[in-house]
Amino acid sequence: MKRRNLTKIGAGIGALAIATTLASCAGGDDENEAADDCVIEDSSASGAIDSADTVAAPAAYTSKTTSTKQVPAAEGDGETITLGFIPSWTDGRSTAYLLEDQLERLGFTVEMEELTEAGPLYAGLADGSIDIYPSAWSEKTHADYMDEFGDGLDDLGSYYDNALLTITVPSYVNVDSMAELKDKASCFDGKIVGIEPGAGLTAATQDSMIPTYGLEDDYELLTSSTAGMVTELDAAIEAGEPVVVTLWRPFWPYGTYDLKDLEDPEGAMGEPEALHFLAREGFSDDYPEAAELIGGIQLDDNSYGSLEDTVVNQYEEGDEPAAIDEWIEANPDAFDTLITE
């Protein structure tokens, strides 16, 4: 079933079980002064972007262009390939269903293994119970997992070259840099809204950004889920209130809301990195045609943005194959090895 739902990820997910009280101080005039200091005066950026279904490329991204060819569907002899992904992490969810579609067109049977944390996913690659992780932040964000499990894994290539961890606010919030957060704690009631506890983004925020900018005594990082974070972000924007969240690029909210990544003068959140398709040891030798197809997937900003938006926002959970069909029809030249028939 097709839909347009930009405030929730998946069905049945409620709001965070945390209450984020924003921009409050005691006393009438003091309260007004605090509110004025938290939100840019006369700001017109107060809600969702009025955009088309295809997400436009943010200016900070660097796009690639590729030529396109159709790869004839080969015979995979019905052999089974297991994809491991975390459904609430929408980059992996989107690329997992893209790979399912393409591998099935090659004749493989695809099993989708849903996990909740990155650690077990890397462990599954290492022990061979999972064949492919379709969106690994293996260069920096997941470096600890690579140190533990990475020996011998097959790197099938990167599909996106400019991924970045961010700390982000709505554009109407009167904060431009992470260095300003310490003096603005009252705007956010001392709360940074995060995602899953085991995420690399959570570790970077808790272990690097917060101590780098001296926020230990002023802020609490609230962890729950990606869906919960987006729910809190959406509610704050709807009310025109300040909120600060942990985000990452590429991610569909950048095409939906008017957001501002805070400057990171100390580099606490790390440098941009590529997103990789990782496989168990020996995968490329066992399935060279599948490895070649996957290695040819390189998405630019527009093609990635439209893929994630279509899978996450345009269709109900469970209808991802239909979302992929629509995306392929709309993006037949997305990458070199795309099979369209």
Side-chain angles (χ1 to χ4, degrees), residues 237-255:
I237 290 175
E238 183 70 21
E241 296 178 334
V243 65
V244 57
V245 301
T246 65
L247 275 185
W248 62 93
R249 293 180 179 268
F251 191 25
W252 66 263
Y254 285 102

Side-chain angles (χ1 to χ4, degrees), residues 2-307:
K2 194 170 180 181
R3 63 171 180 173
R4 185 67 178 170
N5 181 356
L6 297 172
T7 62
K8 292 182 176 66
I9 304 176
I13 298 176
L16 275 171
I18 52 176
T20 308
T21 306
L22 302 168
S24 60
C25 292
D29 290 340
D30 288 343
E31 182 176 349
N32 290 334
E33 289 175 5
D36 290 343
D37 190 48
C38 295
V39 176
I40 297 171
E41 187 175 359
D42 297 328
S43 173
S44 60
S46 59
I49 297 172
D50 183 14
S51 62
D53 286 350
T54 299
V55 178
Y61 290 0
T62 301
S63 297
K64 293 192 283 187
T65 58
T66 62
S67 61
T68 303
K69 64 180 180 180
Q70 289 187 9
V71 176
E75 183 59 53
D77 295 328
E79 294 190 65
T80 299
I81 292 176
T82 301
L83 302 182
F85 68 106
I86 300 171
S88 62
W89 295 3
T90 54
D91 56 320
R93 177 179 162 197
S94 302
T95 52
Y97 283 100
L98 175 62
L99 289 193
E100 179 192 42
D101 174 274
Q102 294 291 285
L103 291 171
E104 286 181 346
R105 292 175 192 248
L106 280 179
F108 292 96
T109 298
V110 178
E111 290 187 355
M112 306 292 273
E113 182 75 20
E114 297 185 1
L115 297 97
T116 59
E117 298 286 349
L121 212 165
Y122 279 91
L125 287 176
D127 67 23
S129 60
I130 292 172
D131 290 304
I132 299 173
Y133 178 10
S135 188
W137 295 61
S138 52
E139 295 178 0
K140 296 180 175 65
T141 304
H142 294 165
D144 289 345
Y145 294 127
M146 289 298 289
D147 289 343
E148 184 175 359
F149 300 112
D151 287 347
L153 297 185
D154 279 1
D155 189 336
L156 303 181
S158 63
Y159 73 87
Y160 184 85
D161 286 345
N162 198 31
L164 185 66
L165 304 180
T166 65
I167 302 296
T168 303
V169 298
S171 62
Y172 56 76
V173 173
N174 190 23
V175 178
D176 296 310
S177 170
M178 297 177 203
E180 299 174 33
L181 288 173
K182 186 174 181 63
D183 293 332
K184 297 280 189 173
S186 62
C187 292
F188 310 104
D189 196 35
K191 304 292 192 296
I192 299 171
V193 182
I195 59 170
E196 291 79 4
L201 172 59
T202 300
T205 304
Q206 188 69 64
D207 300 335
S208 180
M209 192 281 289
I210 287 176
T212 295
Y213 293 103
L215 307 181
E216 301 96 322
D217 296 333
D218 302 290
Y219 284 88
E220 176 187 4
L221 176 61
L222 303 178
T223 59
S224 178
S225 68
T226 299
M229 177 274 294
V230 173
T231 298
E232 288 291 311
L233 176 64
D234 181 80
I237 290 175
E238 183 70 21
E241 296 178 334
V243 65
V244 57
V245 301
T246 65
L247 275 185
W248 62 93
R249 293 180 179 268
F251 191 25
W252 66 263
Y254 285 102
T256 302
Y257 304 108
D258 194 356
L259 301 175
K260 174 170 57 177
D261 292 340
L262 297 185
E263 297 172 5
D264 184 9
E266 301 298 327
M269 298 300 288
E271 297 298 319
E273 62 183 303
L275 302 182
H276 290 251
F277 295 117
L278 290 186
R280 61 165 174 79
E281 185 173 14
F283 180 89
S284 297
D285 294 332
D286 293 340
Y287 306 119
E289 194 164 14
E292 180 182 1
L293 183 152
I294 294 168
I297 300 175
Q298 294 181 336
L299 302 179
D300 64 20
D301 302 312
N302 284 325
S303 58
Y304 174 84
S306 65
L307 172 66

